[in-house]
């Protein structure tokens, strides 16, 4: 047995066993949460499995990888889409999706085409309305998969949004609004899912993980486990300028304090891994502006090139706040070369509808895998995230994926509470 295999059968297997034993209580707990705070329309959660810890490291409320889900997930997606739309707009027949402006990103366009396809199969009329200023007429795009995708310019009449000859019942945002809420989307009378207040112009990762930590604490008390096993420690610096180095002392101090807290937990569990933290923009990264640190000196010693990289976010937006998050090693591997992998779970409404592994052949177990060169491979389950098998070993596929689904849904509960805190409810 390798060291990695031994680790995977350590505390995490104990956590999995506990989740199996408490399945009835866990599902009842989730049902209570959804009655109090209905789930977001959809979301994806990045999970890291260190063997001794299973924790979310990012929660995306505008997921952009539906094309990476295996075809076996389609029935789950269709049923969940129907549930999500029925809850928010019971009489809905027509939906308008508002995408990112990534016309050159072939992978994103494939995601959009797949999402449209799923919504069609769920029984809705669907069109795609673009925010691009230079799109003046309907445009058909040729995709590598052969799926059709037509982008149309948004139109506004009074307080309603649509495209030419199409007045939708509801708007589905697949745009994280990093540059802010455009005027055309303000004061719209149709339901907007998720709400525009959940875009990265106003939402922060530290806000999400503050709420997640509360959720994880409540859940851990319910099932009788150490919250740290499912909760990444973090700190944040609200004001940072990587170019001028304003706020650098705050960043270095928080890195040092967080590393100290991680070492204490490692000592408690006899973990011999080298602690590290991940520093990233507090307002969405899209894989940009991420670095790891193993000491405060790693922050104060950045050269100009490194500081320039950290200072710029999506669409050139300046990074002004940073979250410092406990680094979670990944023990998951993919392929004959054992490339590091992390799981990404997709949810629609309150249901886990599939997932995939993000794999990067040239990165290590402590690196961000959300970087150019990453590959995607569907997770090997169609319904294992909701159907564990107590007759099997706690580490068996259906049981491990159930554990993944539990932790991903905890992040979804946190996102649901964020929506309420921001003054919006999807109902």
């Amino acid at each position: 047995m390798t060291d990695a295999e031994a680790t995977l059968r350590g505390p995490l297997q104990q956590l999995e066993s506990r989740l199996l034993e408490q399945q009835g209580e866990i599902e009842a707990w989730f049902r209570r949460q959804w009655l109090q705070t209905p789930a977001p329309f959809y979301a994806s959660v990045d999970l890291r499995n260190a063997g001794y810890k299973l924790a979310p490291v990012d929660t995306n409320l505008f997921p952009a990888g539906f094309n990476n889900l295996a075809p076996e997930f389609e029935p789950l997606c269709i049923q969940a889409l129907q549930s999500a739309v029925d809850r928010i707009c019971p009489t809905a027949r027509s939906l308008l999706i508002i995408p990112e402006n990534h016309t050159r990103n072939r992978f994103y366009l494939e995601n959009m085409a797949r999402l449209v396809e799923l919504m069609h199969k769920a029984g809705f009329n669907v069109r795609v309305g673009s925010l691009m200023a230079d799109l003046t007429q309907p445009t058909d795009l040729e995709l590598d998969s052969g799926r059709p995708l037509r982008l149309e310019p948004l139109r506004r009449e009074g307080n309603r949004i649509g495209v030419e000859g199409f007045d939708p019942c509801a708007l589905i945002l697949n745009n994280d609004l990093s540059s802010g809420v455009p005027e055309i989307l303000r004061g719209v009378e149709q339901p907007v899912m998720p709400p525009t207040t959940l875009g990265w112009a106003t939402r922060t990762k530290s806000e999400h993980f503050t709420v997640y930590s509360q959720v994880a604490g409540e859940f851990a008390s319910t099932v009788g486990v150490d919250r740290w096993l499912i909760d990444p420690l973090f700190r944040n610096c609200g004001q940072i300028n990587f170019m001028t180095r304003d706020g650098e002392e705050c960043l270095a101090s928080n890195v040092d304090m967080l590393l100290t807290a991680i070492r204490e937990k490692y000592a408690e569990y006899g973990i011999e891994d080298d602690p590290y933290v991940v520093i990233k923009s507090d307002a969405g990264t899209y894989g940009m502006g991420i670095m790891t640190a193993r000491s405060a000196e790693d922050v104060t010693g950045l050269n100009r090139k490194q500081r320039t990289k950290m200072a710029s976010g999506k669409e050139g937006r300046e990074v002004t706040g940073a979250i410092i998050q406990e680094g979670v090693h990944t023990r998951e591997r993919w392929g004959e070369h054992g490339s590091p992998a992390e799981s990404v779970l997709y949810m629609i409404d309150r249901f886990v509808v599939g997932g995939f592994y993000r794999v990067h052949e040239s990165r290590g177990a402590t690196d961000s895998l959300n970087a150019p060169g990453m590959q995607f491979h569907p997770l090997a389950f169609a319904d294992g995230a909701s159907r564990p098998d107590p007759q099997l070993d706690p580490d068996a596929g259906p049981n491990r994926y159930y554990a993944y689904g539990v932790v991903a849904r905890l992040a979804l509960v946190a996102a649901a509470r964020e929506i309420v805190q921001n003054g919006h409810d999807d109902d």
Side-chain angles (χ1 to χ4, degrees), residues 52 226 228 233 259-275 326:
Y52 47 81
D226 181 353
W228 179 75
L233 303 176
L259 285 169
T260 297
I262 298 170
R263 290 189 187 99
E264 290 175 356
K265 295 303 295 187
Y266 279 17
E268 178 182 341
Y269 280 94
I271 296 166
E272 297 181 357
D273 284 340
D274 182 22
E326 175 187 355

Side-chain angles (χ1 to χ4, degrees), residues 96 128-139 150-156 161-164 184:
L96 182 72
V128 181
S130 175
L131 289 165
M132 290 188 298
D134 58 352
L135 188 75
T136 59
Q137 60 185 10
T139 302
R150 169 173 286 196
L151 301 182
E152 301 181 67
L154 282 181
R155 298 282 187 265
R156 178 163 179 158
I161 293 289
V163 295
E164 187 69 33
I184 195 172

Side-chain angles (χ1 to χ4, degrees), residues 88-105:
I88 297 161
C89 190
T91 60
R93 297 182 305 277
S94 55
L95 303 173
L96 182 72
I97 306 178
I98 301 174
E100 297 276 1
N101 295 340
H102 295 325
T103 55
R104 293 186 179 86
N105 187 323

Side-chain angles (χ1 to χ4, degrees), residues 28-49:
W29 185 88
F30 275 116
R31 286 193 292 272
R32 291 194 296 271
Q33 304 311 307
W34 303 135
L35 287 173
Q36 295 169 12
T37 49
F41 183 76
Y42 52 17
S44 65
V45 176
D46 294 359
L47 294 175
R48 300 274 286 202
N49 179 352

Side-chain angles (χ1 to χ4, degrees), residues 237-242 245-249 251 318-322:
C237 285
Q239 295 295 325
I240 182 72
N241 187 316
F242 284 96
R245 295 193 164 181
D246 291 338
E248 190 174 83
E249 290 184 5
L251 192 61
E318 182 182 0
V319 173
T320 57

